[in-house]
């Protein structure tokens, strides 16, 4: 069974956002509403689609996450970079979040 | 420099007004994302990994100091305080907001800039030799023709929906600094036996997943017939180019599949219909545009103080050796400003650095700046006696790295740190290589070595034409890097050859070190890396990397 969350980009500024337990959008991946069944994942995507219709986000999709201590963290490198920011540029994302990525770099 | 006329001003102004209305309608829901996406892309606004990215055209890589100041203003006001100069002489802002985009375009319009045709299947910004107009061995300034092409191709109704994007590059010099042979059309200004000036026309070059070197389909095209000939090429491509498969839609595939000879015949047949009725250039029109690029009034210069400084200050002399090129005018110099300081992202510049460069251009370079496809900047008109003060000023801004053309002068695309199409990161690899070779004495000893990195097969980082090329590939979620050797983007353009299996992220930098060691052991006299490689072939490099298996 996959552990998943929903991400999208905010329409107004394009920033990466995650669908939260409260049904709104947060720029912090750890706020993600995490689900573990396909039915819940479908339900989560439906609710994201309502935010598309309401001009809040664009292009929502499911991502796989780990969920240790109730704090979601994406599994794929692409989604980790979306969540944490560029790994080695002027705009360096907060430590901790990118520590694993920086080591690889 | 070219200045907008009433048509340019009206066209760009109207586009800003239209886009403001389109953004308003998107935000209030009157337009869906599917309806809006093509409209925003027509204005260079992409959605990337982290935000909207705005790509601004810098026509043929020429900027005034006033325009550079505006780019700094945009970086500071609407972005996170920096911008990224690209391999097509443009600039990208990585963190813009949709709601700000109309204001950004309005600000750009104030300094005669825009983002039109920086996306989509159109004729993109025409690129040029960054030393245009000042290179010692130049026949004519290529920017005259780039500007003519810009006017002809902007919103050209027949060529707004080509099978795929279309890139043209022009050089006026023998030494190719514009990579013309890896463009859809490359134009090189030539003189024929009678002394007349025209163009060698090369078609079908490109990188991406199917790299190709452009074929010359006409050795000499009289310059007044440039536009009718371009129109003939674009017509053949527009009709016969593939629209069924995105990966086979570039003109290079058409030229390859038809063969250069057949393609040439089709173009000539089309041109026969067009050449008299088509958009040919009157001498008076060429002269009108050329006047915008007239050489400035150069002064008599006494270079004694400069010569003295070269002896007194070795660090300055090292910088001059790599970053200063001969100017056509005695007493003047062309200065390359490296945007590759140790350990930084190639091509990035902060707002403060952009403003400093604008200041230096005003003080030392007749207000003019160039952007290179190698992601550096150029001050094209510096008096030799000003070089020392300029160098000191650049040092204060971390802009005086003496590494132009050396191993740390790396081209790297944004890769997975920013790009929505990427499979791997390229910037951190560039940073690690730059740190490994941080010792400038060592870099100078290694000599010219063009290293280029792409984060995916689209090859925006030009890895196919790097002396050492690095292509990031994803292997089951891990970043691997494949090395190609022997590519070059100069007048002897060549596509590099894959040396062997890809290296893990942990091992790629050591692999580069190994290649350099093999080269240093085997080089003769003043051979560059690529010369040694061409002489000894792949084998010693391969054995050093993989053993003799
Ligand atoms: S080469 Fe790939 S990763 Fe790099 S900028 Fe181009 S599309 Fe993005």
């Amino acid at each position: 069974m996959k552990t998943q969350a929903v991400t999208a980009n905010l329409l107004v500024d394009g920033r990466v956002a995650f669908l939260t337990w409260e049904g709104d959008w947060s720029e912090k991946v750890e706020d993600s509403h995490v689900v573990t069944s396909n039915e819940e994942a479908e339900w989560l995507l439906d609710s994201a689609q309502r935010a598309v219709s309401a001009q809040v986000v664009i292009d929502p999709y499911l991502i796989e996450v780990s969920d240790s201590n109730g704090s979601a963290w994406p599994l794929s490198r692409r989604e980790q970079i979306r969540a944490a920011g560029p790994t080695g540029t002027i705009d360096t994302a907060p430590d901790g979040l990118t520590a694993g990525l920086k080591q690889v770099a | 420099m070219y200045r907008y006329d009433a048509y340019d001003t009206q066209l760009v102004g109207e586009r800003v007004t239209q886009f403001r209305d389109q953004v308003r309608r998107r935000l209030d829901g009157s337009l869906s994302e599917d309806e809006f996406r093509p409209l925003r892309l027509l204005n260079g606004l992409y959605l990337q990994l982290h935000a909207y990215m705005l790509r601004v055209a810098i026509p043929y890589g020429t900027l005034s100091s006033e325009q550079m100041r505006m780019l700094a203003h945009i970086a500071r006001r609407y972005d996170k305080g920096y911008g990224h100069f690209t391999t097509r002489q443009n600039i990208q802002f990585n963190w813009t907001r949709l709601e700000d985009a109309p204001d950004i375009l309005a600000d750009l319009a104030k300094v005669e800039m825009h983002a039109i045709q920086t996306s989509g299947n159109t004729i993109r910004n025409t690129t040029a030799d960054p030393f245009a107009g000042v290179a010692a061995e130049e026949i004519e300034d290529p920017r005259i023709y780039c500007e003519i092409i810009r006017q002809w191709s902007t919103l050209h109704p027949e060529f707004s929906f080509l099978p795929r994007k279309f890139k043209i590059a022009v050089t006026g010099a023998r030494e190719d600094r514009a990579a013309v042979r890896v463009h859809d059309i490359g134009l090189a200004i030539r003189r024929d036996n009678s002394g007349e000036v025209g163009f060698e026309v090369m078609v079908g070059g490109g990188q991406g997943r199917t790299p190709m070197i452009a074929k010359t389909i006409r050795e000499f095209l009289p310059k007044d017939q440039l536009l009718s000939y371009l129109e003939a090429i674009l017509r053949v491509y527009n009709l016969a180019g593939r629209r069924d498969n995105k990966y086979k839609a570039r003109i290079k595939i058409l030229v390859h599949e038809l063969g250069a000879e057949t393609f040439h015949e089709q173009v000539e047949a089309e041109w026969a219909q067009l050449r008299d009725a088509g958009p040919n250039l009157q001498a008076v029109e060429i002269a009108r545009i050329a006047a915008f690029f007239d050489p400035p009034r150069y002064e008599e210069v006494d270079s004694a103080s400069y010569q003295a400084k070269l002896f007194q200050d070795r660090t300055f002399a090292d910088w001059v050796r790599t970053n200063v090129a001969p100017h056509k005018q005695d007493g003047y110099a062309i200065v390359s400003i490296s945007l590759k300081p140790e350990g930084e992202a190639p091509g990035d510049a902060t707002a403060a650095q952009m403003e400093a460069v604008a200041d230096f251009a005003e003080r030392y370079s007749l207000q003019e700046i160039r952007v290179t496809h190698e992601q550096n900047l150029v001050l094209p008109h510096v008096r030799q006696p000003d070089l020392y003060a300029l160098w000191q000023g650049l040092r204060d801004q971390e802009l005086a790295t003496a590494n132009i053309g050396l191993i740390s002068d790396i081209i790297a695309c944004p890769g997975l740190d920013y790009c929505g199409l990427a499979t791997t990161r390229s910037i951190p690899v560039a940073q690690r290589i730059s740190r490994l070779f941080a010792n400038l004495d060592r870099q100078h000893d290694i000599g010219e070595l063009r290293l280029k990195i792409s984060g995916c097969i689209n090859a925006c980082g030009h890895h196919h034409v790097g002396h050492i090329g690095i292509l990031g590939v994803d292997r089951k979620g891990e970043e691997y890097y494949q090395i190609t050797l022997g590519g070059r983007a100069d007048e002897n353009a060549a596509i590099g050859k894959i040396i062997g299996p890809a290296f893990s992220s942990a091992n790629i930098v050591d692999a580069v070190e190994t290649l350099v060691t093999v080269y240093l052991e085997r080089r003769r006299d003043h051979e560059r890396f690529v010369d040694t490689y061409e002489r000894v072939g792949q084998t010693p490099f391969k054995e050093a990397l993989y053993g003799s298996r």
Side-chain angles (χ1 to χ4, degrees), chain B residues 34-261:
Chain B
D34 283 348
E35 289 165 327
F36 180 67
R37 188 181 298 111
L39 299 173
R40 73 167 153 74
L41 288 173
L42 283 173
N43 293 288
L45 194 65
Y46 291 69
L47 183 63
Q48 292 285 26
L49 280 191
H50 309 286
Y52 294 99
M53 179 272 278
L54 181 69
R55 181 180 296 151
V56 177
I58 299 176
Y60 32 92
T62 295
L63 278 174
S64 68
S65 53
E66 183 193 21
Q67 290 172 324
M68 182 64 106
R69 263 183 224 295
M70 182 56 85
L71 297 178
H73 162 77
I74 290 167
R76 188 173 281 126
R77 165 119 191 238
Y78 302 107
D79 204 276
K80 291 195 176 186
Y82 67 105
H84 176 77
F85 289 97
T86 76
T87 51
R88 295 215 73 254
Q89 300 179 314
N90 291 326
I91 187 168
Q92 295 180 175
F93 294 104
N94 290 310
W95 301 95
T96 59
R97 301 159 59 90
L98 178 59
E99 55 185 358
D100 291 337
D103 290 340
I104 301 175
L105 295 184
D107 281 351
L108 286 169
K110 286 181 205 158
V111 294
E112 305 184 353
M113 295 183 82
H114 60 69
I116 296 168
Q117 287 178 213
T118 61
S119 173
N121 295 335
T122 56
I123 300 171
R124 305 287 187 88
N125 182 30
T126 297
T127 52
D129 181 354
F131 294 178
V134 290
E137 57 357 331
E138 183 175 271
I139 297 173
E140 261 190 41
D141 190 332
R143 294 173 305 162
I144 300 163
Y145 304 97
C146 294
E147 176 54 32
I148 288 168
I149 293 169
R150 187 192 73 80
Q151 296 192 14
W152 161 79
S153 64
T154 300
L155 306 189
H156 193 307
E158 189 178 338
F159 305 134
S160 294
F161 296 96
L162 293 167
R164 203 70 180 87
K165 58 187 167 184
F166 204 90
K167 301 173 181 178
I168 303 175
V170 192
T171 178
R174 279 269 160 223
E175 191 180 331
D176 180 8
R177 286 170 289 258
V180 296
R181 285 208 177 262
V182 283
H183 279 76
D184 295 288
I185 295 179
L187 298 169
I189 298 177
R190 301 278 187 245
R191 221 183 266 287
D192 72 0
N193 292 337
S194 69
E196 194 191 339
V197 172
F199 298 96
E200 179 185 347
V201 182
M202 294 157 260
V203 182
Q207 302 200 48
R209 66 186 63 223
T210 322
M212 304 248 183
I213 299 298
K215 314 278 187 314
T216 297
I217 63 162
R218 204 163 226 284
E219 295 285 350
F220 188 81
L221 176 74
K223 62 185 184 182
D224 60 328
Q225 301 185 350
L226 173 66
L227 293 186
S228 60
Y229 203 77
L230 290 181
E231 202 139 315
I233 295 171
L234 265 296
R235 275 198 179 172
V236 170
Y237 170 55
N238 210 9
L239 280 171
R242 289 182 60 168
R243 291 173 186 268
D244 60 325
N245 182 340
K246 183 178 165 185
Y247 302 118
K248 300 202 165 168
R250 296 288 290 265
I251 196 173
K252 62 189 173 186
I253 303 291
L254 180 65
V255 174
H256 181 72
E257 287 183 351
L258 288 177
E261 194 49 42

Side-chain angles (χ1 to χ4, degrees), chain B residues 48 413-416 419-424 426 453-461:
Chain B
Q48 292 285 26
C413 77
L416 192 55
C419 173
L421 299 172
T423 48
T424 63
S426 37
I453 309 175
S454 303
C456 81
I457 194 65
N458 289 320
C460 307

Side-chain angles (χ1 to χ4, degrees), chain B residues 317-501:
Chain B
D318 281 344
W319 175 77
V320 168
R321 185 142 60 100
T322 46
N323 294 38
V324 175
H327 196 284
K328 68 178 183 186
Q329 180 71 26
D330 276 352
Y332 280 76
I334 306 168
V335 171
S336 292
I337 298 173
S338 170
L339 295 182
K340 324 285 175 64
E342 181 194 332
E344 298 294 347
D348 278 7
T350 64
Q353 287 176 322
M354 290 184 227
E355 275 161 357
V357 171
D359 284 345
F360 295 136
E362 279 160 12
R363 214 173 314 153
Y364 301 118
S365 183
L366 308 174
Q367 289 97 43
E368 219 188 288
I369 300 153
R370 309 283 174 78
V371 181
T372 78
H373 84 270
E374 297 190 308
Q375 302 180 287
N376 293 312
L377 301 175
V378 166
L379 297 178
H381 310 286
V382 183
R383 296 164 67 251
Q384 286 178 340
D386 289 337
L387 282 169
Y388 195 74
L390 169 61
W391 170 69
Q392 289 178 310
L394 289 169
R395 274 209 308 193
D396 293 342
Q397 301 292 335
E398 289 186 61
L399 289 170
T401 311
N403 65 348
I404 296 295
L406 304 183
I407 191 167
S408 66
D409 183 11
I410 298 167
I411 291 185
C413 77
L416 192 55
D417 281 304
Y418 294 95
C419 173
L421 299 172
T423 48
T424 63
R425 287 172 291 164
S426 37
I427 292 170
V429 176
Q431 291 171 312
R432 285 159 59 207
I433 293 170
S434 155
R435 283 191 206 107
L436 178 68
F437 292 93
N439 182 322
L440 274 174
D441 285 341
R442 183 161 177 236
Q443 284 195 56
H444 281 251
D445 177 43
I446 294 166
E448 183 185 333
L449 203 169
R450 310 281 172 168
L451 196 151
K452 311 186 188 215
I453 309 175
S454 303
C456 81
I457 194 65
N458 289 320
C460 307
H462 292 194
H463 68 276
H464 291 301
V465 290
H467 297 170
I468 298 177
I470 298 179
L471 165 66
V473 288
D474 181 271
R475 295 269 159 82
K476 296 193 180 123
E478 294 298 320
E479 290 170 305
Y480 274 75
Y481 294 91
Q482 192 170 68
I483 293 177
T484 49
L485 295 182
R488 46 202 293 182
D490 59 13
E491 54 285 359
N492 299 311
I495 303 297
K497 295 206 169 46
I498 296 172
I499 184 87

